[in-house]
Amino acid sequence: LDDFLEKEIFYRGLILQCLQCRNSDWYGIDELQTNFKCKRCNAVQVIKQKNWKDGNEPKWFYKLDEVLYQGMTSDMHIPLLTLYKLKQGSKYSFSYIPEIELRRTQNQKKCDMEIDICCIVDGEIVLGEGKTASIETPEVNKYEMLVKEFKRYPDRIVFSSFENDWSQALKDTILKKIHKSSFLFKKD
């Protein structure tokens, strides 16, 4: 826990209830002094036993960093683990960028396609898709369309999943539609 607090993955604070509007909320240590300001009604009040309800002293509560939380709910760990695996396999150099959103026009609000994995491993361009569940044919079709539009094909397309049982039909589709492919499975 101390390591996570030091790295700002978790934040320590208290859950306090406003005595005026009855709203309960989490307050980080940096927001507290001898008093606190209610996040709903803005009432400033001295921290008293009535604010924390249980026990003689308030209990610590921990909040997960919001960026990490959003990333975990969006399955960011799959591309991260895949990039880590690719980096381990590099001999000379490894460079990457986070998820890319592709748009056909510059001012377009909605993206046409996302690329989860984009890196250069020992001078080779590697693009790919990472999913918690199984890779499916629409993802393969997406990358088939993408590589046909490039002036230069990527050196590898990587499909990464926590699902171990890829059907032979899916593997055949990948090999048929995309020439240079790598498969990364959970047990690698």
Side-chain angles (χ1 to χ4, degrees), residues 76-160:
M76 80 172 179
H77 58 291
I78 305 296
L80 286 176
L81 289 170
T82 304
L83 287 167
Y84 179 72
K85 180 74 173 173
L86 289 166
K87 183 179 181 181
Q88 282 183 318
S90 69
K91 293 179 184 175
Y92 308 107
S93 65
F94 178 82
S95 183
Y96 76 96
I97 57 174
E99 179 182 285
I100 301 171
E101 292 184 347
L102 300 176
R103 292 172 174 77
R104 295 202 183 276
T105 60
Q106 188 174 10
N107 296 328
Q108 183 177 326
K109 287 187 179 182
K110 188 177 180 208
C111 71
D112 293 307
M113 180 180 175
E114 293 176 2
I115 299 175
D116 293 336
I117 300 154
C118 185
C119 61
I120 299 174
V121 181
D122 296 331
E124 291 188 342
I125 297 172
V126 180
L127 302 178
E129 182 76 17
K131 293 209 164 288
T132 303
S134 179
I135 300 292
E136 295 180 3
T137 305
E139 283 90 20
V140 177
N141 294 340
K142 176 173 90 169
Y143 281 88
E144 177 190 28
M145 180 193 74
L146 177 69
V147 297
K148 285 181 178 178
E149 292 188 27
F150 283 161
K151 292 182 180 179
R152 181 198 185 283
Y153 273 47
D155 296 292
R156 282 191 282 167
I157 303 291
V158 176
F159 294 98
S160 177

Side-chain angles (χ1 to χ4, degrees), residues 5-16:
L5 288 165
E6 212 171 280
K7 291 178 179 174
E8 296 184 349
I9 293 171
F10 286 116
Y11 301 96
R12 184 179 282 140
L14 303 174
I15 295 179
L16 300 172

Side-chain angles (χ1 to χ4, degrees), residues 16-120:
L16 300 172
Q17 184 178 43
C18 175
L19 299 177
Q20 184 170 313
C21 73
R22 311 292 294 159
N23 180 56
S24 290
D25 217 323
W26 183 87
Y27 294 86
I29 291 175
D30 57 334
E31 298 175 86
L32 301 171
Q33 295 177 357
T34 56
N35 56 22
F36 72 100
K37 183 177 180 179
C38 176
K39 293 181 181 180
R40 181 194 283 166
C41 72
N42 292 323
V44 176
Q45 53 206 287
V46 173
I47 300 172
K48 299 178 183 178
Q49 189 172 11
K50 292 178 184 179
N51 298 113
W52 67 78
K53 295 183 182 178
D54 259 353
N56 293 329
E57 292 292 325
K59 295 177 187 172
W60 291 119
F61 288 88
Y62 298 89
K63 177 179 163 185
L64 180 63
D65 180 74
E66 184 67 18
V67 172
L68 186 60
Y69 170 76
Q70 292 297 331
M72 292 303 290
T73 60
S74 301
D75 296 330
M76 80 172 179
H77 58 291
I78 305 296
L80 286 176
L81 289 170
T82 304
L83 287 167
Y84 179 72
K85 180 74 173 173
L86 289 166
K87 183 179 181 181
Q88 282 183 318
S90 69
K91 293 179 184 175
Y92 308 107
S93 65
F94 178 82
S95 183
Y96 76 96
I97 57 174
E99 179 182 285
I100 301 171
E101 292 184 347
L102 300 176
R103 292 172 174 77
R104 295 202 183 276
T105 60
Q106 188 174 10
N107 296 328
Q108 183 177 326
K109 287 187 179 182
K110 188 177 180 208
C111 71
D112 293 307
M113 180 180 175
E114 293 176 2
I115 299 175
D116 293 336
I117 300 154
C118 185
C119 61
I120 299 174

